[in-house]
Amino acid sequence: MQERNISDIIERYLKEILNDANAVEIKRSEVARRFDCVPSQINYVIKTRFTLPNGYLVESKRGGGGYIRIAKINLVDNTEMFQTLLAYIGEQISTKQAWKIIQGLYDDQILSKREANLILATLDQKTVADDGLRAQILKAILERLKYSN
């Protein structure tokens, strides 16, 4: 039996919860106990896997009654979030960051597999070596998507 990374297991668990609801509130310590890991491991998973480019909005409150709220968002149906995503891109974007955004749009079924692959080929490091030009292209694609859906 193949052993899996604890981060992958925690991510899968949280995504399963999000399949039943568009948002979930968790306590870092409770999830850490469930998976027998340190709370910072939960922070790592949330910071790296539940980001805006991946289609998630995360809020947290620290302290005794603290929580982390993760919400799955549909960027195209939410103009404000779409604007936040465009602002996130800024003047430059790496190939890896662009890939995450396209993956999120594919996961939300905004892009077909073929469309996502064509966009990824367009934004690839081998095609566009300049992060500024990649950002301009990605913004243009997102603006078109925003109004075509």
Side-chain angles (χ1 to χ4, degrees), residues 18-146:
L18 284 164
N19 281 338
D20 296 334
N22 287 336
V24 63
E25 280 188 16
I26 61 166
K27 290 195 180 256
R28 207 178 344 259
S29 59
E30 289 175 9
V31 176
R33 266 194 303 276
R34 177 181 181 95
F35 293 100
D36 194 28
C37 66
V38 294
S40 62
Q41 182 72 43
I42 308 307
N43 289 344
Y44 170 79
V45 171
I46 291 169
K47 284 186 179 210
T48 59
R49 317 251 175 126
F50 294 88
T51 62
L52 184 60
N54 291 340
Y56 298 94
L57 184 61
V58 177
E59 300 173 30
S60 65
K61 179 183 175 223
R62 299 201 181 271
Y67 62 85
I68 298 174
R69 180 179 298 130
I70 305 169
K72 180 77 172 136
I73 56 172
N74 185 336
L75 296 173
V76 174
D77 288 346
N78 188 329
T79 304
E80 184 179 324
M81 281 301 134
F82 215 99
Q83 289 306 117
T84 303
L85 185 58
L86 288 167
Y88 167 83
I89 294 169
E91 298 300 315
Q92 296 188 34
I93 191 164
S94 69
T95 304
K96 184 177 179 179
Q97 291 169 314
W99 186 89
K100 286 181 179 183
I101 291 170
I102 300 305
Q103 182 67 47
L105 293 171
Y106 172 74
D107 290 346
D108 283 344
Q109 299 177 345
I110 295 163
L111 296 174
S112 69
K113 185 174 184 175
R114 182 174 186 199
E115 290 167 335
N117 282 326
L118 288 170
I119 294 169
L120 290 174
T122 302
L123 299 174
D124 189 83
Q125 181 68 29
K126 295 174 190 169
T127 309
V128 179
D130 181 76
D131 288 352
L133 180 57
R134 182 177 302 104
Q136 288 176 342
I137 293 168
L138 183 54
K139 283 180 176 181
I141 291 168
L142 293 176
E143 284 291 343
R144 178 62 66 131
L145 284 173
K146 180 172 139 182

Side-chain angles (χ1 to χ4, degrees), residues 9-25:
I9 294 168
I10 294 167
E11 176 187 15
R12 186 173 306 111
Y13 168 75
L14 294 173
K15 284 183 176 178
E16 284 174 6
I17 294 172
L18 284 164
N19 281 338
D20 296 334
N22 287 336
V24 63
E25 280 188 16

